[in-house]
Amino acid sequence: MPRVSLTVNGKAVTADVESRTLLVQFLRENLRLTGTHVGCDTSQCGCCVVHVDGRAVKSCTILVQQAEGADVKTIESLAVGDTLHPMQEAFRQNHGLQCGFCTPGMIMTAVDLVARKGHDLDDKTIREELEGNLCRCTGYHNIVKSIAAGAKAMAATTTAQAAE
Amino acid sequence: MSATGIGAAVRRKEDYRFITGKGQYTDDISRPGQTHIHFLRSPHAHAKITSIDTASAKTMPGVLAVLTGADLAGDKIGNLICGWMIHSKDGTPMKMAPHPAIAHGKACYAGDPVAVVIAETLGQARDAAEKIEVDYEVLPAVVDPAKTQEAGAPQIHEVAPQNTIFQWHLGEAAAVDAAFASAKHVTKLDIVNNRLVPNAMEPRAAIGEYDSGTQNFTLWNTTQNPHVARLVIAAFVGMAPEHKLRVIAPDVGGGFGSKIFIYPEEVVCLWASKKVGRPVKWVCERAEAFLADAHGRDHVTHAELAFGEGGKMTALRAKTIANLGAYMSTFSSSIPTYLYATLLSGQYDLPAIYCEVDAVYTNTVPVDAYRGAGRPEATFVVERLVEVAARELHMDPVELRRKNFVKSFPHQTPVIMNYDVGDYDASMRKAMEIADVNGFAARRREAEKRGKLRGLGYSTYIEACGIAPSQAVGSLGAGVGLWESAEVRVNPTGSVEVLTGSHSHGQGHETTFAQLVSERLGIPIENVSIVHGDTDKVQFGMGTYGSRSGAVGMSAIVKALEKVEAKAKKVASHLMEAAESDIVFKDGQFTVAGTDKSAAWADVALHAYIAHKFTGAQLEPGLKEGAFYDPTNFTFPAGCHICEVEIDPETGSTTIVGWTAVDDFGTIINPMIVEGQVHGGIAQGVGQALMENAVYDKDGQLMSGSFMDYSMPRAENLPPLKIDTTVTPCPGNPLGIKGCGEAGAIAAPAAVINAITDAIRTENLAMPATAPAVWAAVRAAAPALAAE
Amino acid sequence: MYNFTYHRASGLRQATNLLGKLDEAKLLAGGQTLLPTMKQRLAAPANLVDLNKVEGLSGIELQGRALVIGAMTRHAEVASSPVVQQAIPALAHLAGLIGDPAVRHMGTLGGSVANNDPNADYPAACLALAATIITTKRKLIADEFFTGLFETALMPDEIVVKVSFPLPKKAAYEKFRNPASRYALVGVFVAKRPSEIRVAVTGAGTSGVFRVPAFEEALKKRFSPKALDGLGVPADGMSSDIHGGAEYRAHLVGVMAKRAVAAAME
């Protein structure tokens, strides 16, 4: 079996895998990082979104071997100790989740969105950018609210960190 | 109101684990030695299985077993059942065909399991399944509910001639006929309520595990009601005695009805785990879910509404054919009957109603409850009839509704339901104000300048929730009672665990139930844990569906808390050496009336357990009480939704530009969570109205069998939603709760279609109102407009 | 998916050799179409040759009067590139409409044109802009490159290296999405080139991307949406499925073409 080496949530990992192993299978089954979910098989639901080298990708649509040498971040990496990431906190404050299944993908997508489009996100932009994330519970209303609030909170955190 | 008590928008206790990726859904659980199962499904909608050769599959790498329906029958594993008996109008019982967990002899829909492979890895199981040789003799299939009863249609089950399960009716035909005979106006509509695929984001999953040492089975399962699953699997399927089967529903990622039912896959996982002597795990793939999860809706209806003088409704009649698919799913018979026809009075004072329902088999995936379950279908019939009637009568749809609203309560409808309380005009007035209905004409003119058609649609819905009392539903054919249980366990330090038979799969019970306890006992919400979803922990419960957890589940907790409080007062009386009747309990403090003596909740809890202040003869130690609560009536949430749309006549695309919902849910425990429930319901209703559709071809192949072809509502398809409430507390339960889980899905479809038909000025439009459908309707009604 | 043997190519020559040598080998570019197809077991290559680590296949460059984009350039890079936004804003717009943000982070121009999905967006841009597809063997103009549904002129061991888009005077792309898959139900790319007008349609045709000569003629006389009044494409030859009949698609071609012309004039 081929060997693959990558960095996941800051830790170097190496494993022998079948060629057909998807990144999401590797995360869930080899590393037991089960926060990344699988909600479809056609790359549409976005439950499996993780960051590969700083960009949001659907981990169900990339072979783990394509991530050879890459820096992968999953939902489990966002909180620092007991301190939630501002986007996580925004989802909690704004009731941006119900069953929680799509939530890790939503949050990882949202963090990527802020990295690309900044901290001042309007309703239309957020809704367009959620093209690849399905939620069956919330009607998206509170997810959109959460992301707008989370984006602003991330700016405040960045500013605070810069001032330190 | 305390910061964490009833009425407070408390942030959810369960969120932390979900937003940090620490939720534990069934697929996140990995059992030692676990194997993987793959279901080989029939590619044909209707076929005799003439032979199955598993020999070469068994030799494939990693394969532990290949099992068929014959093996299942050989082990005397019982069939799946439908638990609600419906009798036809001639008195004959419904025709329930045998439903083996793995098809035996015949496959009745494309997706019917015909064999399973258990292997070390899922990849190996799938690889081996391709080596199973099944010989099919393909039979003609029928998928259209309107055609399945025709002479000459393929016969699906021997027990059901003409594929007819039952021919049921409700109401007084003679009274209705008389009213129609003297009507001043009659509005008629033909309605198709489109078939939907529930698509909870978490696909269904199951792990079966057999312990040969204890002969105990454990099932981890994505279920909304673990105890009912255990009961059916024990008592009917006969897998194991009830006390030897534990069902655990861990975190469940949405259900919407689809996870109520007892399906083949969990039964087979349990059975196979004993066969191979190792845990067997199944995780449904999305494409598989389109074939393995019960679908929703699928009604064909002709409905008529009669009016007397001045727009007064006098009678309604409806004839519905309900497609139940290839087999009768767990609660399928109740949906198009007692959850549908009983709501055909809507919010209106309708003197006479008659409804006939034929339930039929077709070669399609079984159909059962999906969010709203019968009530969206009823609301769509009533609210479309009312809106169309207003247009035909040249009356304001608001005035027509207002004229016919039920205004005094209790109100007995002609279709069983006795509405306890409500103020329908109050909800409508408030919704109209928020939606700025007065400004609509100007908005429409402005849209016209941009070449867009703008429309406004109302839906004033009612639903019946709680699905109880038990005696009543029993008399209507339910196989179970529909009460709920609760157990309140107070620990010596005063913290509390509440065990509930309700099950949360997104509804936030860990928060709302804890709010109730926090308020009643005056203790911090952090000191309350809600335990649910495990038959070894919770004694029994009926689960969560039908917007019943607040109205029924929380009422059971109230009853248990009352008992706890009574017992705690006894302990406090010994502790403070005062008469029990003098003990007052308020805000977490026990005081002796007229004195300055007091004891904190935690002190009393401790003394209940150390038992130093009373003898065993005086009082039992401990502080733990249970209760079962059976409601006295259904609850009747109602409200008004107003949808505003803009249509591009060139493409037929509909954009929802405004949504207002004003609902009356009675007492609200957590407004943030209630709003969230309404949001989600609206999205599913909008999905049904605009895009979702399970389409079969004539041979019984599901054409919309993945997210590539089944349109799910996305963020872009919805506007920001304006949600508000009016409150008439429900008199039927201690908290005054009516329930909020399904309202949006019930109200929304009619609001959308009423808005679109208002915009395009033709009623000839079926759901889903996709762009091509709207374009065609516009073109048929106003060719010049469409050609522009 | 079925198992296969994975090969990570480090250079184009190695990739070409692997393609030529191995049985049932397929290239893996972004994988956003191939991997879902393999997951559904609808494709079963015995060997996958991954291009992701091949140097020099990615990049965006203005070369004289043409915009040259490397085959492994991701849709997100094209969409957000100031060079593309300046040179051919319609192309940046089109790339930003493909899939969703996460798919655009992986999906590539080369993968899209080589797959020639009849509902994909890039083929319309290539055809309307009279792009040249540069492969490991030759240069092919778009009109010769796209040969049918999922069919191209590529030979089995030939790899798309880059695509050269001549700069148009004006261009725009209008897409009407399939509400489920989000591919184009109908997409129309209109380009006003120095010498000609081209109108290319994706999503609608039963044989993949196609041009509409009648529209091109009319627009050559007068580049305005009004020039298309009364013109249409026949429903015959349009695809028909649960998302829209042939007649509807034919109608949308006209609507989207007019809107694209209007957008190009802005």
Side-chain angles (χ1 to χ4, degrees), chain B residues 123 126-127 130 648 650-653 695 703-704 707-712 714 716-717 771-772 775 779 786 788, chain C residues 1-3 39-41 176-183 185 242-245 247-248 251-252 255-256 258-259:
Chain B
R126 287 191 66 164
D127 292 344
E130 294 188 2
D648 176 352
E650 287 186 335
T651 62
S653 303
V695 184
M703 305 297 285
S704 45
F707 286 158
M708 292 295 279
D709 286 305
Y710 186 89
S711 308
M712 291 281 282
R714 285 174 163 80
E716 259 190 322
N717 300 120
W775 175 74
R779 200 163 63 139
E788 262 171 26
Chain C
M1 66 178 80
Y2 297 103
N3 212 356
K39 279 160 69 179
Q40 291 168 75
R41 299 194 163 207
F176 193 89
R177 283 190 173 119
N178 174 317
S181 72
R182 319 302 269 179
Y183 275 87
L185 193 71
I242 59 171
H243 305 291
E247 204 182 350
Y248 180 67
H251 167 75
L252 274 190
V255 174
M256 292 296 121
K258 280 187 187 178
R259 290 183 183 181

Side-chain angles (χ1 to χ4, degrees), chain B residues 117-376:
Chain B
V117 181
I118 299 102
E120 297 289 347
T121 72
L122 182 58
Q124 289 171 334
R126 287 191 66 164
D127 292 344
E130 294 188 2
K131 303 292 179 193
I132 299 174
E133 288 170 28
V134 186
D135 281 331
Y136 293 101
E137 181 190 327
V138 178
L139 303 168
V142 58
V143 298
D144 184 345
K147 291 186 179 149
T148 189
Q149 293 173 294
E150 287 173 2
Q155 180 73 25
I156 300 169
H157 299 292
E158 268 177 36
V159 297
Q162 259 138 7
N163 299 321
T164 303
I165 299 167
F166 56 74
Q167 295 186 298
W168 175 88
H169 68 161
L170 185 66
E172 297 293 334
V176 167
D177 288 345
F180 270 90
S182 61
K184 296 283 180 257
H185 180 82
V186 174
T187 292
K188 300 179 181 183
L189 274 182
D190 286 300
I191 290 168
V192 173
N193 205 286
N194 43 325
R195 177 185 274 247
L196 305 176
V197 182
N199 280 319
M201 290 319 299
E202 181 208 17
R204 284 172 48 236
I207 306 172
E209 183 169 322
Y210 178 68
D211 181 335
S212 60
T214 59
Q215 289 99 52
N216 285 346
F217 284 93
T218 305
L219 174 69
W220 288 262
N221 192 199
T222 49
T223 174
Q224 299 177 218
N225 45 352
H227 292 88
V228 178
R230 182 177 68 155
L231 174 63
V232 171
I233 294 171
F236 295 93
V237 179
M239 185 68 59
E242 204 173 0
H243 65 292
K244 304 296 277 181
L245 171 60
R246 177 184 185 184
V247 178
I248 301 170
D251 286 330
V252 174
F256 317 112
S258 69
K259 292 173 181 168
I260 297 173
F261 321 121
I262 290 78
Y263 287 99
E265 292 84 4
E266 45 256 40
V267 168
V268 171
C269 282
L270 282 169
W271 171 63
S273 73
K274 189 174 176 184
K275 295 285 246 199
V276 300
R278 288 167 61 183
V280 174
K281 183 177 193 174
W282 172 71
V283 179
C284 195
E285 295 184 16
R286 181 59 60 185
E288 186 180 21
F290 277 86
L291 304 175
D293 296 0
H295 293 177
R297 319 279 193 257
D298 207 346
H299 283 194
V300 178
T301 296
H302 176 79
E304 302 183 354
L305 182 57
F307 291 86
E309 290 293 350
K312 179 72 192 80
M313 296 176 190
T314 55
L316 181 150
R317 64 183 165 208
K319 171 83 205 270
T320 293
I321 302 171
N323 188 354
L324 298 194
Y327 301 103
M328 294 186 74
S329 176
T330 317
F331 290 111
S332 58
S333 55
S334 64
I335 311 307
T337 50
Y338 291 109
L339 293 179
Y340 165 68
T342 53
L343 274 303
L344 286 173
S345 197
Q347 297 186 351
Y348 309 107
D349 181 9
L350 249 166
I353 297 173
Y354 182 63
C355 179
E356 293 173 281
V357 178
D358 283 10
V360 297
Y361 286 119
T362 58
N363 297 111
T364 61
V365 171
V367 177
D368 207 326
Y370 168 63
R371 199 171 195 168
R375 291 150 292 170

